[in-house]
Amino acid sequence: MKKPPLYQAISIDFDLRQLEIFKEVVEHESFSKAAQKVCLAQASVSERIANLESAVGTKLLDRLGRQVVPTKAGKLLYKHANLLLDMKRAACLELQDFIGLKRGEIRMGGSTIPGEYILPKALRGFRERYPLITVTLTVGSTGDIEELVLDGNLELGVVGSMRKHRNLEYRELWEDELLLAVPAQHPWAEREEVTLEELSTEPFITREPGSGTLKFIEEYLRSVGLSSMEDLNVVAALGTSTAVKEGVKSGLGVSILSSRALETDLAVGILKGLRVKGLLMTRSFYLLMDKRREPSPLCRAMVEYLLGKS
């Protein structure tokens, strides 16, 4: 009679999709948040994690109330999951380069001014060059776009200011000037500039906190002696440049806005653009990427196009 072996080798197997879901659960410490990230129902995520634990033969996650944390085995698998998924991404990118793939989607973001006034025009030329590529553009505050790039939800962004972060890379694209916008019927409409003293008494509309435009306005005003925006006669704080423009047109107050945002209104004479005496307010817009991530061929095509337009 044949004797059974003293031990039997354990067979462990899993697929990359299971690892992607497992990675999101570990990083978000939540099944529900991971489900949103991978576009699955929470029950489906729980089932796939249970199948992965069954395939591995040990518990990978501990449920501590609402928080989910990896076990020791889970931490080991998480380390290798990152390596394997990075290898998968690198292989896909190399294959796309080899095949010359020019079909797909680019997910990018823009802060308010480039997102609403510059990129829609610039993307027309990109579309003519690459007709099979779809561009999904998210518009938000500079801070929102930076966070979405860091989280990997966007491949690149275009923003109006820079912040110091070890994982973010900025490349200058376009210059912009900030102008004082007044309605065509305003007493200042025929003037080229006003003094800071005059501006400080006029009803003023500002942008909301977190706006790149507001950040620059505050820096410039501090440079000429104003301690904060409170030194102006602020009557409203609005969420977008479009809303601020409409407020100026309605006579609610005057405001300092990007010349890019004012371009059409200045051309048709609805608004007038003035300078504050002794204060030339300029800034740049920047291409933003995460240094940790290898850009896709489609993303590189967009980067090359935008840099060529700068």
Side-chain angles (χ1 to χ4, degrees):
M1 181 178 175
K2 189 175 180 180
K3 294 183 179 181
L6 296 177
Y7 67 89
Q8 185 174 2
I10 299 174
S11 177
I12 296 176
D13 193 18
F14 43 75
D15 59 48
L16 290 177
R17 180 58 172 164
Q18 287 176 313
L19 292 184
E20 288 173 344
I21 295 170
F22 172 70
K23 178 176 180 290
E24 295 298 334
V25 173
V26 172
E27 291 180 353
H28 288 88
E29 300 181 342
S30 164
F31 282 87
S32 60
K33 291 180 180 177
Q36 294 175 0
K37 186 74 175 181
V38 298
C39 301
L40 290 174
Q42 184 174 337
S44 181
V45 168
S46 298
E47 180 183 1
R48 295 188 188 213
I49 293 298
N51 291 340
L52 178 60
E53 289 179 325
S54 176
V56 172
T58 188
K59 193 175 184 182
L60 298 172
L61 298 167
D62 281 327
R63 286 76 167 171
L64 306 179
R66 294 185 177 181
Q67 188 181 30
V68 181
V69 297
T71 63
K72 287 186 177 180
K75 290 178 180 178
L76 178 63
L77 181 61
Y78 175 75
K79 179 181 72 174
H80 289 287
N82 277 307
L83 295 173
L84 289 168
L85 293 172
D86 283 345
M87 290 175 64
K88 173 194 172 184
R89 177 173 171 79
C92 290
L93 292 177
E94 285 191 32
L95 283 169
Q96 287 179 2
D97 268 346
F98 178 77
I99 298 169
L101 185 62
K102 294 303 177 193
R103 178 193 298 270
E105 179 189 20
I106 300 172
R107 293 174 294 109
M108 63 183 298
S111 59
T112 306
I113 301 301
E116 292 184 349
Y117 298 102
I118 305 176
L119 288 172
K121 297 177 184 177
L123 292 178
R124 178 182 176 182
F126 183 82
R127 171 70 178 175
E128 291 171 353
R129 188 178 301 182
Y130 302 104
L132 299 180
I133 297 179
T134 301
V135 180
T136 300
L137 176 63
T138 298
V139 180
S141 70
T142 294
D144 289 339
I145 300 304
E146 288 172 335
E147 290 303 321
L148 288 169
V149 170
L150 285 170
D151 290 343
N153 293 309
L154 299 176
E155 286 195 271
L156 71 155
V158 179
V159 295
S161 62
M162 296 189 293
R163 73 164 170 165
K164 294 180 180 178
H165 192 290
R166 66 180 184 276
N167 295 326
L168 293 177
E169 175 186 3
Y170 296 86
R171 301 176 71 175
E172 188 172 351
L173 282 177
W174 307 297
E175 286 190 348
D176 184 32
E177 182 179 4
L178 301 174
L179 296 174
L180 177 64
V182 303
Q185 303 80 19
H186 195 279
W188 294 348
E190 299 304 318
R191 297 172 59 176
E192 294 185 358
E193 62 181 23
V194 298
T195 66
L196 187 60
E197 291 73 22
E198 289 175 308
L199 178 61
S200 64
T201 61
E202 190 73 8
F204 190 87
I205 307 170
T206 185
R207 284 287 306 278
E208 86 292 357
S211 158
T213 300
L214 177 60
K215 175 184 174 183
F216 275 95
I217 293 173
E218 290 175 328
E219 289 176 357
Y220 275 114
L221 293 179
R222 278 197 297 268
S223 74
V224 291
L226 290 187
S227 59
S228 71
M229 293 296 293
E230 294 179 0
D231 290 340
L232 297 179
N233 181 21
V234 176
V235 295
L238 304 181
T240 67
S241 292
T242 301
V244 173
K245 281 201 304 179
E246 292 305 312
V248 174
K249 291 177 187 178
S250 73
L252 175 62
V254 302
S255 189
I256 296 174
L257 287 163
S258 161
S259 59
R260 304 270 187 165
L262 294 170
E263 198 172 69
T264 301
D265 299 282
L266 295 178
V268 298
I270 298 175
L271 296 176
K272 299 293 183 178
L274 293 70
R275 292 184 174 88
V276 179
K277 189 174 182 178
L279 192 60
L280 179 62
M281 295 180 283
T282 60
R283 65 169 176 177
S284 296
F285 293 112
Y286 302 91
L287 181 67
L288 164 68
M289 299 180 68
D290 189 331
K291 293 187 288 190
R292 299 169 299 177
R293 295 184 171 88
E294 179 69 23
S296 69
L298 302 185
C299 180
R300 286 201 295 270
M302 176 62 77
V303 170
E304 291 171 3
Y305 172 77
L306 291 177
L307 291 174
K309 299 284 285 185
S310 61

